[in-house]
Amino acid sequence: MTFNDILKESWLSISGNKIRSFLTVLGIVIGVMAVVIMVAVGETVSKQISDQFSSLGTNTIMIRAGAAQSAGVRTGNRHTLTTEDAEFIAKLPDVMAVSPVQNAAAQVIYGNQNWASSMVGVYPGYATVQNLEMKYGMFFDQSAVRNGSTYAVIGPQTAEELQMPENPVGETIRIQNMPFVIIGVTKERGDSAMGSQDDMVIIPITTLKKRLQGSRFPNSVNMITLKLYPDADNNLAIEQMTALLRDRHNLTDDEEDDFQIMDMKQVMEAMDTVTGYMTMLLIAIAAVSLLVGSIGIMNMMLVSVAERTHEIGIRKAIGAREKHIIIQFLSESILISFMGSFCGMLIGVGLSQGIGRFVLGYEVPFSAWPVVVSVGVAVVVGLASGVVPARKAAKLNPIDSLRHE
């Protein structure tokens, strides 16, 4: 028999019982569709997380102040990092830019509008570290930090919420009844791993600490953020920073660090590993549907063997060999699996792309995974599900088969 003959015979056999064949194909459709959607979900989540962290850059490092502990219990934040620490770190050879960071909440008032935003006190190097680009105006310089100037750079969402003009440079806002002149607006960046980058008010750190907060520790900061040169060795740079800060904080060898260094490169690698495991878990869960579908195919083929015992006897009586019977039943099993896999792939890709783009507003990555899954499932599931019924059909005694009613 030629390939076309085998395909024709398989189709005639499958279409002979439409309802049973449809339900069997539906099991494979659901299984493949579930795998394709789960792959898309895993890749989308991985891309979203990667994009949020990559916006900060893999050569970005954050140093946070340590937490006070008493008998192993945290009792509050300690003032362990200072602006002087940041200035000494800036002298290390691998550091491109550095800025101390102090965060605070701010109720911003413009005219008769007010908005609760995030306020960040920084050095000018913050713009380089965070890859900030200006839509209007400019970022403040070091003289503004020295003088405690009332200059502010705002995000585009802050300007929108306050209903400010298209170019608000030169406008005045008020924070705690203190007027600030807008000298710049950053370009839209969206959310990052550290929160919204478009809803913030950035001011000189000295203005925040001394004039707004009136802090008893004007030099202490929540965090120091810095960017390394592209060719820098992150691990070596972290070792140098650790040694520098421990020396400046007079820590002995048996004392733990009173600061925490977060390397964004290591964070991204860890997140990639986590999302990889998550994707594998989702695929494994979806694969259960495929297992159920393959059992459905095997069940259908076993029923088909029982129903066609007389036909098998006639085939063997007129000279059909065992391999011909095996090929016939395997081809039917593979054809059912292929139809289900192909339809499942199309539906899975369509649903994942449609829901992602038009409902959730996410760009869903498209890869060769769905094609590989559908083709692989069509062959593997078809063969695995059909081999037992095919062998059973091939081993039937032709005389007993002819007697079967």
Side-chain angles (χ1 to χ4, degrees):
M1 297 177 67
T2 64
F3 176 77
N4 289 335
D5 293 332
I6 294 174
L7 190 62
K8 184 178 179 182
E9 287 285 338
S10 300
W11 175 251
L12 289 174
S13 177
I14 293 170
S15 59
N17 195 323
K18 295 183 175 60
I19 295 179
R20 186 173 65 192
S21 299
F22 171 76
L23 293 175
T24 305
V25 170
L26 183 62
I28 299 297
V29 168
I30 294 174
V32 173
M33 179 184 69
V35 171
V36 171
I37 291 177
M38 290 306 176
V39 169
V41 169
E43 291 185 348
T44 302
V45 171
S46 178
K47 183 177 182 298
Q48 292 291 323
I49 293 175
S50 178
D51 288 347
Q52 289 186 359
F53 279 99
S54 62
S55 66
L56 301 175
T58 56
N59 58 340
T60 301
I61 294 176
M62 298 179 183
I63 308 174
R64 295 183 179 275
Q69 293 189 356
S70 176
V73 179
R74 294 189 176 187
T75 58
N77 292 328
R78 293 163 57 188
H79 303 279
T80 58
L81 293 178
T82 65
T83 54
E84 288 82 2
D85 289 334
E87 291 166 2
F88 273 90
I89 289 173
K91 298 176 183 179
L92 294 176
D94 291 329
V95 176
M96 177 193 299
V98 66
S99 172
V101 178
Q102 185 73 22
N103 297 295
Q107 193 72 24
V108 188
I109 299 174
Y110 173 73
N112 61 353
Q113 301 293 324
N114 67 83
W115 176 249
S117 183
S118 298
M119 185 165 52
V120 188
V122 297
Y123 276 10
Y126 184 81
T128 302
V129 175
Q130 297 293 320
N131 299 318
L132 294 180
E133 296 182 40
M134 305 306 297
K135 183 177 181 180
Y136 300 111
M138 61 182 182
F139 209 83
F140 52 80
D141 56 19
Q142 194 62 32
S143 64
V145 176
R146 287 195 303 268
N147 299 330
S149 302
T150 53
Y151 295 148
V153 175
I154 63 174
Q157 183 181 345
T158 307
E160 180 181 351
E161 296 292 346
L162 291 173
Q163 300 181 16
M164 303 185 79
E166 175 66 22
N167 183 356
V169 172
E171 298 290 329
T172 300
I173 59 175
R174 300 186 68 84
I175 302 175
Q176 296 180 13
N177 291 324
M178 182 177 293
F180 284 81
V181 178
I182 304 297
I183 63 170
V185 180
T186 61
K187 289 185 178 180
E188 185 175 349
R189 303 182 68 196
D191 293 338
S192 75
M194 307 306 293
S196 175
Q197 302 177 90
D198 297 330
D199 182 16
M200 60 174 59
V201 179
I202 308 172
I203 64 176
I205 193 169
T206 49
T207 307
L208 172 61
K209 294 287 291 185
K210 297 178 180 179
R211 304 185 65 175
L212 288 180
Q213 293 183 332
S215 174
R216 293 183 300 140
F217 308 96
N219 293 328
S220 67
V221 294
N222 299 135
M223 179 174 66
I224 296 174
T225 182
L226 58 101
K227 172 175 282 190
L228 303 177
Y229 287 105
D231 58 347
D233 184 333
N234 286 34
N235 293 329
L236 177 60
I238 290 175
E239 290 179 3
Q240 294 173 343
M241 292 175 210
T242 302
L244 173 64
L245 291 175
R246 287 185 63 85
D247 181 64
R248 282 187 48 78
H249 298 177
N250 299 315
L251 297 177
T252 61
D253 293 340
D254 58 344
E255 289 182 300
E256 296 184 357
D257 296 339
D258 58 359
F259 53 88
Q260 304 167 12
I261 298 181
M262 181 187 300
D263 182 2
M264 296 309 299
K265 182 178 181 180
Q266 294 178 355
V267 172
M268 287 186 63
E269 290 174 352
M271 291 305 302
D272 287 341
T273 301
V274 171
T275 54
Y277 284 133
M278 182 191 70
T279 302
M280 291 174 61
L281 177 62
L282 292 175
I283 294 174
I285 294 173
V288 175
S289 300
L290 280 177
L291 178 61
V292 175
S294 66
I295 293 174
I297 294 178
M298 182 180 295
N299 181 60
M300 175 184 171
M301 297 308 298
L302 287 171
V303 173
S304 180
V305 170
E307 290 178 345
R308 296 160 63 187
T309 300
H310 193 73
E311 174 193 331
I312 295 169
I314 295 175
R315 287 175 179 268
K316 298 189 78 172
I318 61 177
R321 298 179 180 179
E322 288 189 2
K323 68 176 184 179
H324 296 143
I325 304 298
I326 291 176
I327 290 173
Q328 181 62 44
F329 278 86
L330 281 181
S331 64
E332 293 178 20
S333 177
I334 292 175
L335 181 59
I336 291 173
S337 182
F338 181 80
M339 289 189 297
S341 299
F342 184 74
C343 293
M345 180 198 70
L346 292 181
I347 296 173
V349 171
L351 285 177
S352 59
Q353 293 290 326
I355 294 175
R357 294 187 180 185
F358 301 113
V359 179
L360 302 178
Y362 292 150
E363 187 71 23
V364 179
F366 180 80
S367 63
W369 266 96
V371 178
V372 173
V373 167
S374 61
V375 175
V377 166
V379 176
V380 175
V381 172
L383 286 173
S385 303
V387 66
V388 172
R391 287 180 61 85
K392 180 179 179 180
K395 294 297 181 181
L396 288 176
N397 188 301
I399 297 175
D400 294 337
S401 302
L402 290 172
R403 290 177 180 171
H404 184 78
E405 293 295 336

